[in-house]
Amino acid sequence: MRDETKCVVTPEVKEAGFKSLAPAVHRASTIVFADAGEYAARGERGPDGYTYGLYGTPTTRQLEAKLQALSGAARTLLVPSGQASNAVVAMALLSAGDHILIADTSYPPMRTHADEDLTRFGIGVDYYDPLSPDDLTRRLRPETKLVWCESPGSTTMEVQDIPAIVSIAHDAGAMVGCDNTWATALAFKAHNFGVDIVSEALTKYASGHSDILMGAMSFADEDTALKVRAFMGRTGIGVSPDDAALVLRGMETMALRFAHAEAGARRLVARMQDHTAIREIYWPPLETDPGHAIWKRDFTGAAGVFTAVLAEGASHRLDAALGALKTIAIGASWGGTRSLVAPMSIGEARSATTVDGEDLFIRFSVGLEAIEELEADIDAFLACLE
């Protein structure tokens, strides 16, 4: 073998006896085959075989398997972001003439995708009151193929009666999808309640360090999963094995971080809820929260993410209050090690429901900092609002 070839061809080394707790990072676009016959028969390898890097490597499959086991799904697929998990499901499973019903409190980019893209593809789009099974029933059509849920709802935390929605949708011949990013499979096993498709932004709690974008789609039915997987192949959608390895690493501490965030949220919520500058707090574990009964019935835990609504007249002091924060950072997303706060305006992202009062919601996400320092931040925040 000439030197030029030695530079190109990597020798195989003995792997027997090497066992690491850390997942290996398998990077590949090209998959090579032992002979011509194996290459010719590559299509027979099935969905769990390897034919090209776009369709998975051992690293991405390892993450899919871990998420599948956690959610109780038949199969899990990875996509480049949480919003991609919502959009890919809709585009892969709906056709011109079909109809989708979306919870009015869903993640705003899902709504924009439906209004601007799904309608452009000839798909009918409507929104339903997430707390009204009767409203859902009234809006169902013979061509409704997918009912989309998000529970708790984006920003305002409405908890949907998922078993009731599943019963209504399935009786009408429609599948049910649910964005489960807030609770994750740690706190809500959506498939156990009959949900067909579960989407989640791994960007948040699974990754856990605010440095990865990734999403997951988990399916109760293998055939549906393979239909979506084929669409992903046709449209060239895949994820980086390096990113998958980082999510695998993040998931090892996910349960601890999730529980820590919930405990921290309880302390901050208790500090805020009776303050004169706060009109209301949306967080399902609160007994005063409208969704508490369903949350207690169906969920086993809660994200450290809650929303505060300011008392009348306090909003003009919000900029100063945000400026008083020393530990909590201002930014969107959640689930990372840093605590975050983000002011939200949602009125334009509602049509089946209305926003009462001022359209200003302050969403907090509790991270891993010392709780005493977070409490000091909240005290300074509230003092500025008085």
Side-chain angles (χ1 to χ4, degrees), residues 56 104 246:
D104 200 42
L246 289 174

Side-chain angles (χ1 to χ4, degrees), residues 34-55:
D35 52 47
E38 191 176 280
Y39 179 74
R42 65 192 184 281
E44 300 172 10
R45 292 187 168 189
D48 295 317
Y50 298 103
T51 57
Y52 191 67
L54 177 67
Y55 306 108

Side-chain angles (χ1 to χ4, degrees), residues 2 8 26 42 64 112 132 168 179 214 258 269 290 299 303 308 354 371:
R2 297 178 63 88
V8 172
H26 294 270
R42 65 192 184 281
E64 289 173 344
T112 305
S132 174
I168 293 167
D179 186 332
M214 194 176 293
F258 192 86
V269 166
F299 290 68
T354 58
I371 187 62

Side-chain angles (χ1 to χ4, degrees), residues 83 86-87 106-115 117 154 349:
Q83 172 55 14
N86 301 334
S106 291
Y107 183 47
M110 177 59 173
R111 188 185 194 100
T112 305
H113 169 64
D115 290 343
D117 297 315
S154 184

